Amino acid sequence: MSNRYYLTTPIYYVNDAPHIGHAYTTLACDVLARFKRLDGFIVKFLTGTDEHGQKVEKSAAAAGIDPKAFTDKVSQNFRDLAETMNFSHDDFVRTTEDRHKLAAQEIWKRLVERGEIYLDSYSGWYAVRDEAFYTEGELTTGPDGTKTAPSGAEVEWVEEPSYFFRLSAWQDRLEKFYEDHPDFILPKTRRNEVLSFVSGGLQDLSVSRTTFKWGVPVPGDDAHIMYVWLDALTNYITGVGFPEIETGEFAEFWPANLHMVGKDILRFHAVYWPAFLMAAGLEPPKRVFAHGWWTNEGEKISKSLGNVIDPLELVETFGLDQVRYFLLREVPFGNDGDFAHQAMINRMNGELANDYGNLAQRVLSMTAKNCDGAVPKPGSFTGADDALLNAAYGLIDTVREAMDVQAFHTALEAIWTVIRAANGYVDAQAPWKLAKEDQERMATVLYVLAETIRHLALLTQAYMPDASARILDQLAVPEDARTFEFLGANHALEPGTALPKPEGVFPRYQEPEKEA
Ligand code: ME8
């Protein structure tokens, strides 16, 4: 099995400031990328910004600046977000970069050489907000006669010369591909939606525009620019050095293991993209995961409602690792989710401060006080000791299995089962009583707990890198002993190792003082 793992986020439109939805998708990828690195994989994690098309051109015009200056400015906001959220991407693609224009024009040429593109003219509906073409049958007509796409976006009538991609010819091959790769689209419910869309019949797709200029020129026909989705999807191979495919990163990392997307853009990734790739003689990716949609206190998040959640504000209010934890714990990954202030506080105080934080804090401070500030020396283990240790040692299998199907919440639930078991063990063993009655047994109990916490902190690193590192620091686990190779009894804590002074890692949420 290859130990390479290539995963990508959507590249975000630079029409607007980043919000919680963008942070969510990249966070999920970041956690997976970190997890895979800890698990011994060589990871390539790509994100970026989608800078061409009518929507961005219009936003630039509305801001009164030229599109290039506009995209430079807004794209920077996404890089700043990545910094704030502690994202660990290896590369950031902008579709206005030369390397990307080269890749986009090259895939176009391959499609032309293979007879997959022809010139005709398009007349039909287009939604600038979605950058998507719609058929009459997909639209809803309002009382005032305005037509809207299923996404709610307004559509406009477009008539222009256009190149077309022979998508209709790919229906059978796509269906065969889905059948041969049952896990290509996850979750399963989303897969069924795609299958029924494709079996309903595919039409050739308009892949160039002539009525505006902000895009990649079609090779050999400057009157056209490439359709922004063909341009944008190609970023996933730009990131691995396409058109160089025989050597280098493309040979090493393609096909991608995972394209993570929101459910709104599944069709582009699960239908158009594999068709483009197969038609260009390239392999399709291994998986597209379409996650669900966040609302804010039950309401759709939108600029016009004024309820956009700014990730920077969340991090300032609750703390970075708290927000990272909440987003992936609150909602079974794949489902829609609601951001509620109180739910965030409940998890921050309950699961982080009380369950995990308290466990680490009381064990480490009892050890500091009663074991000369060093890893205690255990005596022989009882059944209860073995039960807890084995639960900690066995955790990686459950967590790995969950991560392999992007079940972030299931992985966290499994980790919390052991946290709760450890807290139960503290209560049952009462090491504070043993301190007075049986020092040797107390040392064993604190050792079992410290070793359990080492495992918990190794496994929470991908989700909460800073907090987990602080716990591992307090257990004096060397920085080069924090990968999953070091899980298990063979790498157990060395009795007698000096421990630094303990400190709390997960504060409780404090309501801000009301201004008088
Ligand atoms: O679609 N809840 O970019 P985009 C959850 N440029 N996720 C959300 C969300 C919400 N409320 N709002 C946004 C594009 N997202 C194209 C992609 S890829 C080749 C081109 C996330 O800026 C989610 O991942 O509109 C969604 O798919 C993505 O942002 C859309 O970002």
Side-chain angles (χ1 to χ4, degrees):
M1 229 176 75
S2 157
N3 74 336
R4 300 293 190 274
Y5 195 87
Y6 179 31
L7 79 171
T8 66
T9 74
I11 50 171
Y12 305 108
Y13 286 127
V14 290
N15 62 312
D16 211 346
H19 68 67
I20 192 177
H22 309 117
Y24 181 58
T25 315
T26 312
L27 170 64
C29 289
D30 181 62
V31 170
L32 200 49
R34 287 174 183 273
F35 184 86
K36 287 284 175 187
R37 290 187 198 111
L38 291 165
D39 210 12
F41 286 77
I42 296 175
V43 172
K44 167 101 185 173
F45 167 20
L46 182 74
T47 185
T49 42
D50 188 352
E51 307 193 0
H52 290 134
Q54 220 172 345
K55 166 155 145 165
V56 172
E57 193 185 61
K58 282 191 170 174
S59 301
I65 21 184
D66 89 284
K68 180 69 179 93
F70 179 76
T71 55
D72 284 347
K73 182 165 157 261
V74 186
S75 172
Q76 186 58 43
N77 295 339
F78 283 89
R79 281 187 296 274
D80 293 346
L81 172 74
E83 185 87 12
T84 307
M85 296 292 299
N86 199 2
F87 292 153
S88 64
H89 54 279
D90 302 291
D91 196 354
F92 190 104
V93 172
R94 300 181 56 188
T95 54
T96 47
E97 286 175 84
D98 288 343
R99 63 168 171 160
H100 175 72
K101 286 186 207 158
L102 174 75
Q105 291 189 324
E106 201 55 37
I107 198 169
W108 181 281
K109 286 187 210 155
R110 278 178 165 251
L111 293 171
V112 170
E113 277 162 20
R114 288 170 165 74
E116 299 287 351
I117 283 182
Y118 61 91
L119 182 61
D120 199 339
S121 65
Y122 179 78
S123 53
W125 298 102
Y126 191 78
V128 176
R129 199 181 88 189
D130 301 344
E131 296 283 19
F133 302 95
Y134 289 102
T135 58
E136 184 78 42
E138 289 175 291
L139 305 178
T140 320
T141 310
D144 60 352
T146 51
K147 292 187 186 280
T148 46
S151 61
E154 252 183 58
V155 292
E156 60 189 35
W157 185 256
V158 171
E159 270 184 39
E160 58 186 347
S162 174
Y163 286 94
F164 281 79
F165 170 69
R166 294 186 197 283
L167 183 63
S168 59
W170 284 89
Q171 178 171 345
D172 295 349
R173 283 169 287 184
L174 280 170
E175 285 174 336
K176 169 99 175 55
F177 175 72
Y178 302 140
E179 195 184 311
D180 292 346
H181 302 88
D183 291 333
F184 171 63
I185 303 164
L186 285 187
K188 284 278 177 264
T189 46
R190 300 270 167 242
R191 177 177 195 268
N192 295 337
E193 286 169 21
V194 171
L195 262 51
S196 77
F197 170 73
V198 172
S199 66
L202 296 174
Q203 297 185 359
D204 288 354
L205 182 70
S206 163
V207 286
S208 75
R209 306 287 313 267
T210 48
T211 43
F212 64 97
K213 284 278 155 226
W214 185 237
V216 178
V218 162
D221 190 347
D222 275 354
H224 293 251
I225 55 163
M226 284 170 65
Y227 172 41
V228 65
W229 270 102
L230 174 54
D231 163 355
L233 287 161
T234 306
N235 93 87
Y236 300 132
I237 54 177
T238 303
V240 286
F242 181 80
E244 178 52 63
I245 60 173
E246 300 300 336
T247 57
E249 286 201 323
F250 191 95
E252 193 178 342
F253 287 107
W254 194 261
N257 297 78
L258 175 68
H259 293 320
M260 180 70 80
V261 298
K263 64 181 183 181
D264 56 325
I265 54 174
L266 179 59
R267 191 181 292 183
F268 300 95
H269 285 81
V271 183
Y272 302 165
W273 182 228
F276 291 152
L277 285 165
M278 291 194 274
L282 301 167
E283 258 187 276
K286 292 188 183 155
R287 177 170 301 165
V288 176
F289 192 107
H291 68 63
W293 216 240
W294 281 91
T295 50
N296 182 1
E297 308 280 353
E299 296 240 32
K300 186 175 154 39
I301 298 176
S302 88
K303 219 160 76 167
S304 51
L305 291 174
N307 66 350
V308 172
I309 302 176
D310 176 359
L312 308 186
E313 262 173 44
L314 280 189
V315 169
E316 265 169 36
T317 310
F318 301 106
L320 172 60
D321 280 348
Q322 283 77 359
V323 172
R324 289 177 58 111
Y325 173 80
F326 175 81
L327 290 176
L328 292 177
R329 179 63 190 84
E330 180 68 0
V331 181
F333 199 70
N335 293 5
D336 292 339
D338 183 44
F339 189 92
H341 186 78
Q342 195 53 47
M344 170 81 226
I345 295 173
N346 292 349
R347 291 206 185 266
M348 173 173 173
N349 288 348
E351 287 153 30
L352 294 179
N354 288 355
D355 295 345
Y356 193 14
N358 232 352
L359 172 69
Q361 175 81 359
R362 56 184 178 159
V363 169
L364 287 160
S365 46
M366 268 187 280
T367 306
K369 198 166 139 214
N370 300 302
C371 310
D372 299 327
V375 174
K377 186 170 176 342
S380 55
F381 292 147
T382 65
D385 303 345
D386 282 331
L388 181 61
L389 284 173
N390 289 335
Y393 294 153
L395 206 43
I396 179 67
D397 295 335
T398 323
V399 172
R400 195 182 272 136
E401 211 176 294
M403 295 304 257
D404 278 340
V405 289
Q406 289 74 52
F408 298 97
H409 60 291
T410 310
L412 286 172
E413 272 166 24
I415 297 172
W416 254 256
T417 306
V418 176
I419 292 178
R420 294 201 177 101
N423 275 321
Y425 172 92
V426 179
D427 295 340
Q429 302 294 325
W432 55 90
K433 270 202 216 146
L434 294 170
K436 292 179 209 130
E437 298 158 8
D438 183 350
Q439 288 267 331
E440 199 186 315
R441 178 66 195 147
M442 174 205 70
T444 307
V445 167
L446 290 177
Y447 183 86
V448 167
L449 284 163
E451 183 54 8
T452 302
I453 294 169
R454 181 176 76 92
H455 280 75
L456 294 167
L458 289 176
L459 288 169
T460 53
Q461 284 179 103
Y463 290 84
M464 299 181 284
D466 292 341
S468 310
R470 285 168 63 201
I471 296 174
L472 291 167
D473 289 344
Q474 295 184 52
L475 288 169
V477 175
E479 283 193 17
D480 60 1
R482 295 182 180 186
T483 58
F484 297 158
E485 245 180 288
F486 294 88
L487 290 167
N490 289 344
H491 303 278
L493 292 164
E494 192 61 48
T497 310
L499 297 176
K501 195 168 170 305
E503 53 166 32
V505 166
F506 293 111
R508 291 181 66 80
Y509 178 74
Q510 306 279 349
E511 282 293 346
E513 303 270 323
K514 291 247 173 353
E515 284 184 31

